[in-house]
Amino acid sequence: MMIRKIRYIFLPFSFLYINRHILWHLPRSFYYNLIFFNISTAIRCPLFIHNNVKIQRGENSQIFINCNKKSGLIKIGFNATNFYSSSFDKSVFTILGTWIINGKVDIGPKSRISIGSNAILVTHRLWVTGELLMIIRKKVYCAENVLMAWHITIMDHDAHGIFNIENERINPEKDIYLGENIWIGCNTTILKGTSLKRDIIIGAGSVVATKINEVGVVLAGNPARIIKKDVTWGGFY
């Protein structure tokens, strides 16, 4: 019993020491934790938001955490490289729909994410180096261990409607599915209808807009095609 009491006494100090590099961002982060979560979750502060991240939310926006709600589980706008600056490379996070979180998330600086009304983003372990543009109007699913380099664009829609002569829309939104252990190279575009299985590497500058049924492959080109088989990659470092 005494050990448990001592543990609770030192818990706040431990939290501050571990997260000392983001202390200036904690007040604002805690505010948004109170906005998005109930009090029992909010006091753990699972959501860390850099002060240079602009947050826009709607009345029906929701964030669900289906894993250990530890401090700093989700980090938005913080830099882990030497070629971005969290202080100058600002991010915008717009959530009008739903974000379901099943693992640790790190989203680097200069990223713009928009989850539209009735749209859904599902993530597991996700790492974004920086400068991600993700616009969701239906659903984007990221399975375990998805790594994105920089200057990635992901869109599950065409932004504008296209109609036939009967005035019927012919370009509906389509889900995007990114399977386990996927590495997306810089300057890549992922378009609606993309469905990838596991152990896939996407070369820099590729455009992906299709379903790939094979596993353990390298994709490259515009449109992306398989250029190498029977490969995997080393995961997060």
Side-chain angles (χ1 to χ4, degrees):
M1 182 65 72
M2 180 61 68
I3 293 176
R4 181 176 295 179
K5 289 182 178 179
I6 294 174
R7 178 186 173 188
Y8 281 118
I9 291 172
F10 282 97
L11 189 61
F13 299 100
S14 174
F15 171 83
L16 291 174
Y17 178 77
I18 293 172
N19 301 297
R20 60 192 181 280
H21 63 292
I22 62 159
L23 288 179
W24 296 113
H25 310 280
L26 282 179
R28 187 165 179 262
S29 294
F30 187 64
Y31 167 78
Y32 280 108
N33 277 273
L34 291 171
I35 292 293
F36 285 113
F37 309 120
N38 58 41
I39 188 64
S40 63
T41 298
I43 60 175
R44 301 183 185 185
C45 207
L47 177 61
F48 284 176
I49 299 177
H50 195 280
N51 287 338
N52 277 339
V53 177
K54 181 179 180 180
I55 302 293
Q56 301 175 123
R57 57 182 295 271
E59 293 182 0
N60 299 316
S61 59
Q62 302 177 91
I63 299 179
F64 298 106
I65 299 178
N66 296 327
C67 56
N68 182 12
K69 302 176 180 65
K70 62 181 181 180
S71 169
L73 175 71
I74 311 121
K75 294 179 181 177
I76 303 176
F78 293 93
N79 184 33
T81 71
N82 59 6
F83 50 87
Y84 278 112
S85 169
S86 295
S87 299
F88 297 99
D89 295 324
K90 298 184 178 182
S91 299
V92 179
F93 180 65
T94 302
I95 176 168
L96 307 177
T98 301
W99 185 10
I100 301 172
I101 298 166
N102 300 294
K104 186 171 175 57
V105 175
D106 290 276
I107 299 174
K110 211 173 181 180
S111 294
R112 289 92 68 210
I113 298 175
S114 173
I115 307 173
S117 300
N118 302 314
I120 300 173
L121 170 62
V122 180
T123 59
H124 293 72
R125 177 68 178 99
L126 172 67
W127 174 279
V128 177
T129 304
E131 207 162 350
L132 166 69
L133 174 61
M134 180 186 285
I135 308 175
I136 308 170
R137 296 298 177 259
K138 191 178 182 187
K139 184 177 183 180
V140 171
Y141 186 100
C142 299
E144 183 70 23
N145 205 39
V146 173
L147 170 63
M148 300 182 188
W150 52 93
H151 207 264
I152 307 294
T153 298
I154 298 177
M155 294 176 60
D156 64 354
H157 60 102
D158 297 327
H160 303 283
I162 300 175
F163 302 86
N164 61 21
I165 58 174
E166 284 79 30
N167 202 34
E168 299 169 330
R169 187 176 176 186
I170 59 174
N171 66 329
E173 298 84 358
K174 295 181 181 179
D175 293 354
I176 292 175
Y177 179 87
L178 304 178
E180 295 181 6
N181 207 42
I182 291 182
W183 174 13
I184 304 175
C186 62
N187 300 307
T188 291
T189 299
I190 308 290
L191 296 176
K192 69 177 191 178
T194 295
S195 179
L196 306 178
K197 290 197 173 181
R198 58 178 174 81
D199 294 317
I200 291 179
I201 302 165
I202 303 175
S206 298
V207 177
V208 188
T210 189
K211 182 176 182 179
I212 302 295
N213 292 317
E214 297 192 51
V215 302
V217 298
V218 177
L219 305 178
N222 179 11
R225 59 182 180 85
I226 297 173
I227 62 169
K228 188 171 290 188
K229 297 184 178 182
D230 301 320
V231 299
T232 187
W233 63 284
F236 292 97
Y237 292 96

